[in-house]
Amino acid sequence: MPIEFTHIPGKTADAAVPFFYDFAETATKLGLIEDGGFRKIVVDDSAGLLTNMDLAAQVLDRTSSLEVVLTHWAGVVEPTVAARQLASIDRQSGGRLALRMISEPLSDADAETRPVGHTVIWQRIDEYLVLLKRLWSNDRPFDHEGTFYSIKGGYVPRKGPHGADLVIRMGGQSGTALKVAGRHADVFELAPGSIDEIRQLMERVRRSAAEHGRAGKLRFALPVGIHQGASASGHKAVDVAGPPAQAALSLLAYAALGIDEFMIVGVDTPREIATLGRETIALLRNSLARREHEAFQPGAYASRAGLETRATG
């Protein structure tokens, strides 16, 4: 499968204005992102979950092929409501939606009655995803009484095009997080690190997925900062420096690990977006195509390119 590129928006030229709030400028950028070789864009606005849903619908409405990776978390919207809203967005876009689940502290009214810790948060995410998938696939209403959610007559009459197979993206490094990701994630978003650290994390994720018979179904995405290690939005990334040819060579080392997607951070002006698509993305794809043709062996270039990368954040 060819390498895919995902755009992670930072700020506009005015640092006080988030990417999606200057829609005159955003419309231009979306066109450049879509035409420049990016397959996806992340929607992760600081205003919160409901705003993210609205922005995702707007971006999908203003583009024709760009997929939206919608940042989402459990605890704000009930599963039945979220399942209907997400199915509607996915249906209206023709199936261009993916769900990016992140961990957030429990904040519901009864949270203080039980310990709130890392394990509890991920247990809630697990139950939430189980219910979303069930709501996206069931053909009749069902009841559910769980640790975090109680549902009576749960049913979504109008499913999205993917049904329960809507792409789920997750991350994390703890054993608890990897256990939940191994059960649910279709794409695992890696934490930045050295070549060896990232390889080890990928191995841990694969082992976790194998426990659920899903080792071969998992894809890996890596956040990459072409200019700075992290954007103004706070995303941590592997820093790749140098001119386009050097940056493309550096990314080859990570592609050789089996990474399928690069999530680009810190490229936000129209000029930066256009240049990245015309130069770095094109060079990397051409290099991969050529090396695949020459029966390129994974890891052969990792040591040389790895010297040109460093983890930041």
Side-chain angles (χ1 to χ4, degrees), residues 159-182:
K159 319 291 187 186
H162 293 116
D165 294 326
L166 183 74
V167 173
I168 304 295
R169 302 169 64 101
M170 304 180 76
Q173 297 183 68
S174 71
T176 302
L178 297 191
K179 181 178 180 180
V180 178

Side-chain angles (χ1 to χ4, degrees), residues 117-145:
H118 181 79
T119 300
V120 174
I121 291 171
W122 282 99
Q123 287 173 341
R124 183 172 193 165
I125 292 172
D126 183 44
E127 184 177 341
Y128 185 80
L129 287 173
V130 167
L131 289 172
L132 287 186
K133 291 178 180 180
R134 191 173 178 186
L135 287 161
W136 288 331
S137 61
N138 65 321
D139 56 6
R140 64 186 65 183
F142 69 89
D143 296 338
H144 168 85
E145 192 65 43

Side-chain angles (χ1 to χ4, degrees), residues 203-225:
E203 291 172 354
R204 291 177 62 205
V205 176
R206 288 193 182 104
R207 287 196 296 269
S208 180
E211 295 177 4
H212 301 279
R214 306 183 64 251
K217 299 179 180 179
L218 198 63
R219 301 177 67 243
F220 291 95
L222 179 70
V224 174

Side-chain angles (χ1 to χ4, degrees), residues 17-129:
V17 181
F19 179 91
F20 292 107
Y21 279 80
D22 183 350
F23 255 97
E25 183 178 348
T26 298
T28 299
K29 291 181 180 179
L30 287 174
L32 290 171
I33 290 167
E34 190 167 23
D35 295 338
F38 287 93
R39 178 75 178 272
K40 306 176 180 72
I41 185 169
V42 172
V43 173
D44 184 10
D45 192 86
S46 59
L49 176 57
L50 298 180
T51 297
N52 282 346
M53 288 184 173
D54 290 340
L55 291 174
Q58 292 183 52
V59 173
L60 289 164
D61 187 55
R62 287 167 169 76
T63 57
S64 60
S65 63
L66 201 62
E67 299 176 18
V68 164
V69 176
L70 172 61
T71 303
H72 190 84
W73 53 91
V76 179
V77 181
E78 287 297 310
T80 49
V81 176
R84 291 191 186 98
Q85 291 176 324
L86 294 169
S88 176
I89 295 171
D90 193 39
R91 186 174 62 252
Q92 292 172 12
S93 71
R96 291 187 285 133
L97 182 69
L99 194 62
R100 179 174 181 253
M101 291 298 302
I102 62 174
S103 63
E104 287 287 330
L106 297 175
S107 58
D108 55 317
D110 64 338
E112 62 184 19
T113 65
R114 56 178 179 268
V116 178
H118 181 79
T119 300
V120 174
I121 291 171
W122 282 99
Q123 287 173 341
R124 183 172 193 165
I125 292 172
D126 183 44
E127 184 177 341
Y128 185 80
L129 287 173

